[in-house]
Amino acid sequence: MKQILVVGGGLIGARHMDAVAAHPSCALAGLVDPNPDVKTPEGARRYADMSEVTCPVDGVILATPTHLHAAQGEFAAHRGWHLLIEKPVASDLAGAQALRHVVAKTGVGSLVGHHRRYHAKVQHLKDLLANGRIGMPIGVSLIWAMRKPDSYFEGNWRTAGGSPVMINLVHDIDLLRFVIGDIAACTALRGASQRGSERIESGAVALAFENGATGTISFADTTPSPWGFEAATAENPNIGATGQDMMWIMGTRGAVSFPSMTLWVGTDWASPAKRQPLVTKENVKAPLEAQLDHFLDVMEGSAPLIDVADATRTLEVALQIEAQLATQTTGEAYARSALA
């Protein structure tokens, strides 16, 4: 039985604790969280800080705010604990690169929580593209849009730093990297604020992939739309499911939409594209549970599906987008300036 320590008892930390407690091959060693009001499973050890941990630990799941990841990851690695770090891997490239160095030096296994890679349909989509079912990828269009409740931002670190780029869009960036390929360049435009703060809330992103494909992402946390990975796949129990497609990929021989895995093939404009039947793959386990299975394998020496080094490349793209948006005036402000 692997002993797993969870650090951070928030929304995602609670889900990790439940998964560990229910798993037949691991046990919850304890929870590290300075907030005494955070609930833990009955009998679980409680610590206010990682330095206080005295119980045996094989691996640690870091489910804390992003700015803590690098330092906490280094601390855990030096103690010989294998790492599963929630996304993003760190808050800046310097922290991610320092953590990468420590992980390599100590020899612990590392895994980063871009858990969408464990969805059966995501892996099916990756295989479909790799096998040339739609030819060479030409373009992709992705939407992530939902209305987060105002309480999500009240009285916590998200009030000023809760940009959907680093909280949500980083998942979509990693999804695109996983199924299409690495991203060579990006350009972002910022939308107007609806909550009256300086926080980034919405925008549009254009992407260029190293394989020559291009793509767009439209994102917002201020609109109750049916389009977004969580709503489309019902993977998050805290988010209402709609089952609507949220990503469309076009190639030289056809196109596919996700997550319905609707496949179209065609030749040229003289003939309409035809829908091709696909037997879609379904999750045997919830992705967070499949990720935990894989983490246990990583502890035994298996290659990680996404380690600190790979996750750093996702982080780099997200940081570029965030930096561009942070320095921009919105189109609404441009229009007011022009009229004046």
Side-chain angles (χ1 to χ4, degrees):
M1 294 286 285
K2 298 293 186 184
Q3 298 296 315
I4 309 296
L5 180 73
V6 174
V7 183
L11 290 174
I12 190 65
R15 292 178 64 193
H16 281 299
M17 283 191 287
D18 290 342
V20 170
H23 201 285
S25 297
C26 61
L28 182 64
L31 169 69
V32 177
D33 195 301
N35 184 356
D37 295 329
V38 172
K39 296 181 180 180
T40 59
E42 185 177 353
R45 296 180 180 90
R46 289 295 304 267
Y47 305 95
D49 188 84
M50 293 174 70
S51 63
E52 300 175 3
V53 176
T54 56
C55 65
V57 173
D58 296 301
V60 60
I61 299 175
L62 299 180
T64 48
T66 304
H67 68 278
L68 300 175
H69 289 179
Q72 290 178 336
E74 289 186 35
F75 179 90
H78 282 302
R79 292 197 63 169
W81 300 342
H82 300 285
L83 302 170
L84 169 52
I85 308 170
E86 263 305 325
K87 57 77 199 170
V89 62
S91 59
D92 55 42
L93 284 180
Q97 290 163 352
L99 177 57
R100 177 183 178 183
H101 174 75
V102 171
V103 166
K105 183 178 178 180
T106 58
V108 300
S110 74
L111 193 63
V112 179
H114 287 287
H115 63 271
R116 292 183 182 177
R117 294 191 182 203
Y118 299 90
H119 278 262
K121 286 185 178 180
V122 169
Q123 295 184 357
H124 187 188
L125 178 62
K126 180 178 175 64
D127 290 342
L128 182 144
L129 296 180
N131 292 331
R133 293 293 298 274
I134 65 168
M136 292 180 58
I138 297 296
V140 56
S141 180
L142 183 150
I143 297 175
W144 180 88
M146 67 171 61
R147 192 187 190 288
K148 293 181 179 179
D150 293 341
S151 60
Y152 182 81
F153 304 99
E154 293 172 354
N156 57 49
W157 61 273
R158 303 185 192 96
T159 302
S163 162
V165 176
M166 299 303 291
I167 296 176
N168 307 103
L169 209 64
V170 67
H171 268 313
D172 295 294
I173 293 164
D174 191 73
L175 173 64
L176 292 172
R177 286 188 59 243
F178 185 57
V179 300
I180 295 179
D182 272 324
I183 295 168
C186 59
T187 300
L189 293 173
R190 182 169 177 168
S193 171
Q194 302 300 316
R195 291 190 170 97
S197 72
E198 295 301 315
R199 190 181 59 82
I200 296 167
E201 296 177 345
S202 63
V205 183
L207 302 167
F209 294 86
E210 290 182 358
N211 60 13
T214 58
T216 61
I217 302 174
S218 181
F219 72 93
D221 65 10
T222 53
T223 171
S225 91
W227 304 298
F229 189 95
E230 298 91 344
T233 61
E235 70 96 10
N236 189 327
N238 298 311
I239 296 172
T242 63
Q244 298 297 302
D245 282 336
M246 44 66 66
M247 180 168 61
W248 300 263
I249 304 173
M250 298 75 73
T252 53
R253 294 172 51 195
V256 61
S257 57
F258 179 88
S260 70
M261 297 298 291
T262 303
L263 175 65
W264 297 85
V265 296
T267 52
D268 56 38
W269 65 8
S271 302
K274 295 182 179 180
R275 182 171 176 174
Q276 296 289 309
L278 273 182
V279 178
T280 60
K281 298 180 180 180
E282 302 294 338
N283 291 328
V284 176
K285 288 187 173 183
L288 210 66
E289 297 172 4
Q291 179 180 250
L292 179 57
D293 285 342
H294 183 51
F295 184 38
L296 298 177
D297 290 338
V298 169
M299 291 186 201
E300 295 295 329
S302 295
L305 188 59
I306 176 167
D307 60 8
V308 169
D310 192 2
T312 298
R313 291 191 285 274
T314 293
L315 173 66
E316 185 173 13
V317 177
L319 287 173
Q320 289 177 9
I321 294 170
E322 181 94 338
Q324 290 181 32
L325 296 174
T327 59
Q328 286 180 9
T329 304
T330 68
E332 179 187 48
Y334 279 127
R336 289 199 301 268
S337 176
L339 289 172

